[in-house]
Amino acid sequence: YQRRVHGDPWHHYLPPEEWKLVLLDSLFTLVPSGKNQECFRLWEALEAGSIPIVANRIQPSCGDSWVPFREPGSQVVFLDDWQELPAYFASVTATNTSTAAALSHQTRLVEWYADFKHRHYTKLLTLLVQKFKAKGGK
């Protein structure tokens, strides 16, 4: 989907509300690396309940920022290379059974991400409370 801005064929965008609707209606979202491995597209996809698909590349300057998304139960799809994408989509859409499996995958993603956020929130809150108490807080 593209919209021209002021007649400029090189300036394409979706307004935020339209982009949000596209994500909410998407079973999958491609998450290319930007300056960092994991970028805002990952978080947008997770928040929308759209299965993120990423290329499993490690940028030496970042280390492996994918570690939290490779934990057991994670529903993020990792491809060794973007060249694998057509075969992946072919396998997901080959039959009604595979379509049902993809929808089940999406349900597991939503459940996993809710648990992921809760665990990380709890971990951060515990750390903050410990640091506050260590500094003489009540």
Side-chain angles (χ1 to χ4, degrees), residues 11-12 28 31 33 41 45 48 61 64 76 81-82 85 89 95 100 104 107 109-110 112 118-119 125 132-133:
H11 190 139
H12 305 290
F28 297 98
V31 182
S33 294
R41 294 274 182 251
S61 61
D64 187 1
V76 175
D81 189 272
W82 287 114
L85 188 61
F89 277 138
T95 66
S104 176
T107 299
L109 171 82
V110 170
W112 171 82
H118 177 74
R119 285 183 287 117
L125 186 60
F132 181 72
K133 286 182 179 177

Side-chain angles (χ1 to χ4, degrees), residues 45-63:
L46 291 169
E47 285 294 320
S50 179
I51 302 164
I53 300 177
V54 301
N56 189 22
R57 290 185 229 168
I58 297 173
Q59 296 174 348
S61 61
C62 298

Side-chain angles (χ1 to χ4, degrees), residues 23-45:
L23 280 174
L24 290 169
D25 193 41
S26 298
L27 183 58
F28 297 98
T29 298
L30 302 182
V31 182
S33 294
K35 187 173 183 174
N36 299 311
Q37 285 169 237
E38 45 91 19
C39 68
F40 68 95
R41 294 274 182 251
L42 172 71
W43 301 104
E44 287 178 336

Side-chain angles (χ1 to χ4, degrees), residues 27-28 51 75 88 91-92 95-108:
L27 183 58
F28 297 98
I51 302 164
Q75 300 300 308
Y88 176 77
S91 72
V92 170
T95 66
N96 288 340
T97 304
S98 57
T99 302
L103 292 172
S104 176
H105 185 163
Q106 185 180 38
T107 299
R108 291 190 313 272

